[in-house]
Amino acid sequence: MPPKSQIDTFGVISLLGLALLLAFNQVVIKVTNNAFQPVFFAGMRSAGAVVCILLWMKWRGLKLTLPRAVVPSALMIGVVFSIEFIMLFTALDLTTVSRASVIFYSMPVWLALSAHFLIPGDRLTPRKSLGLVIAFAGVAWAILDRSDGGEASLLGDLCALGAAIGWAATALLVKATPLKTVRPEMQLFYQVAISALVLLAVAPLFGPLIRDPQPIHYAALAFQIVVVVTFGFIFWLWLMSIYPASGVASFSFLSPVLSVLMGWLLLGEQIGVSILGALTLVAVGIVLINRAPKT
């Protein structure tokens, strides 16, 4: 499919489905952290995804060889990917799905700010700048207000913020470096291959690797490997290669909404005024940032 300047019907349906998958993914990570230490869990997920992606590429007849000019970018994105998921999995171990999701899915804010300087044709306008300020206020509200009680860790919230910035950096590397010349499967393979090595190497620094695994946790790990990382991330990278980066990112505002609802419905998390207020500000800000200009 050739690149497009606007998101069409197929893109809308695809991004809606992906938003639902990523929202549910937060609950799955939260639950599976009860069985495995978060960084070790993230490393196992990446290692399993390496096998799945290799099988997928072999079936598609794709080769793993990268042009020499792409290698530095591939190494860099693998390291950034590792840091992103150390932050995200740790955040979901320390704080609620609702809080982590509101902060983590502020990614389009950091992407829009960075793209202004790094991606030609993706400049901040007055409307985008207003959206950025509103969304930033929502993130600050979520982090600074501790009145909701429950499992609300400041360290966990800051880790979620770091993960959001890492996700934005990953998107920038895909769009603004020679990585944009290789297939999504290749991009993802080097992300998970490098991150598997990094995450498994540093996991012992974060405490005991095994907690209390049950059969449901192994099923959740398999779901993460096959559905979320292998197919979900390949699909997201493919959409990034077809549609404008800010347009793809704009649909991520649905994921925190769905994540908050799933955290309440599936995990019984409290949803207080601060979470709802922060969620509203972040969602409004992201819509303003990524709203298509009138023609």
Side-chain angles (χ1 to χ4, degrees):
M1 186 180 292
K4 300 184 178 183
S5 60
Q6 296 290 335
I7 296 179
D8 54 19
T9 303
F10 173 77
V12 169
I13 294 172
S14 299
L15 288 165
L16 286 174
L18 194 57
L20 181 61
L21 174 64
L22 293 177
F24 180 64
N25 182 46
Q26 307 300 304
V27 176
V28 174
I29 294 173
K30 180 74 174 177
V31 171
T32 312
N33 276 345
N34 294 325
F36 308 106
Q37 182 241 83
V39 178
F40 180 59
F41 172 26
M44 288 194 297
R45 188 180 77 156
S46 288
V50 168
V51 177
C52 291
I53 295 169
L54 280 174
L55 292 173
W56 167 267
M57 295 180 70
K58 183 176 181 180
W59 178 63
R60 295 291 304 276
L62 303 175
K63 296 182 178 179
L64 290 174
T65 307
L66 282 177
R68 183 173 298 178
V70 182
V71 172
S73 301
L75 294 173
M76 186 182 302
I77 201 171
V79 173
V80 171
F81 191 84
S82 304
I83 296 170
E84 174 191 343
F85 283 98
I86 288 174
M87 294 288 188
L88 178 60
F89 279 54
T90 301
L92 287 166
D93 195 44
L94 297 175
T95 193
T96 63
V97 169
S98 301
R99 298 182 68 88
S101 297
V102 170
I103 299 168
F104 178 61
Y105 286 106
S106 68
M107 181 275 279
V109 175
W110 318 114
L111 178 59
L113 183 61
S114 303
H116 175 77
F117 299 100
L118 300 175
I119 299 181
D122 207 343
R123 310 284 292 178
L124 284 175
T125 63
R127 186 192 69 248
K128 286 185 176 182
S129 299
L130 175 62
L132 192 150
V133 171
I134 293 173
F136 182 80
V139 173
W141 188 359
I143 292 175
L144 298 176
D145 193 305
R146 325 305 298 171
S147 61
D148 285 342
E151 187 185 5
S153 161
L154 177 59
L155 178 59
D157 293 349
L158 293 175
C159 284
L161 179 60
I165 295 171
W167 187 7
T170 299
L172 283 171
L173 286 168
V174 169
K175 298 294 288 188
T177 71
L179 277 170
K180 64 185 178 182
T181 63
V182 302
R183 294 180 60 91
E185 297 93 335
M186 292 284 288
Q187 296 172 7
L188 182 58
F189 173 79
Y190 284 95
Q191 289 180 59
V192 296
I194 294 169
S195 68
L197 296 174
V198 173
L199 293 169
L200 292 176
V202 303
L205 302 177
F206 292 83
L209 304 182
I210 304 296
R211 293 178 173 176
D212 184 24
Q214 303 295 326
I216 189 173
H217 297 126
Y218 291 106
L221 176 60
F223 172 81
Q224 282 271 312
I225 291 171
V226 177
V227 179
V228 177
V229 181
T230 304
F231 293 104
F233 286 8
I234 285 177
F235 194 50
W236 184 78
L237 289 168
W238 180 74
L239 292 172
M240 285 287 291
S241 70
I242 299 299
Y243 299 107
S246 58
V248 174
S250 69
F251 277 78
S252 65
F253 87 90
L254 292 172
S255 289
V257 176
L258 296 171
S259 295
V260 168
L261 291 175
M262 288 185 180
W264 168 72
L265 182 64
L266 300 178
L267 301 178
E269 294 182 353
Q270 298 179 28
I271 303 178
V273 174
S274 66
I275 288 296
L276 292 177
L279 177 63
T280 301
L281 289 178
V282 170
V284 169
I286 291 173
V287 169
L288 287 174
I289 289 170
N290 296 291
R291 186 179 178 184
K294 293 182 178 181
T295 57

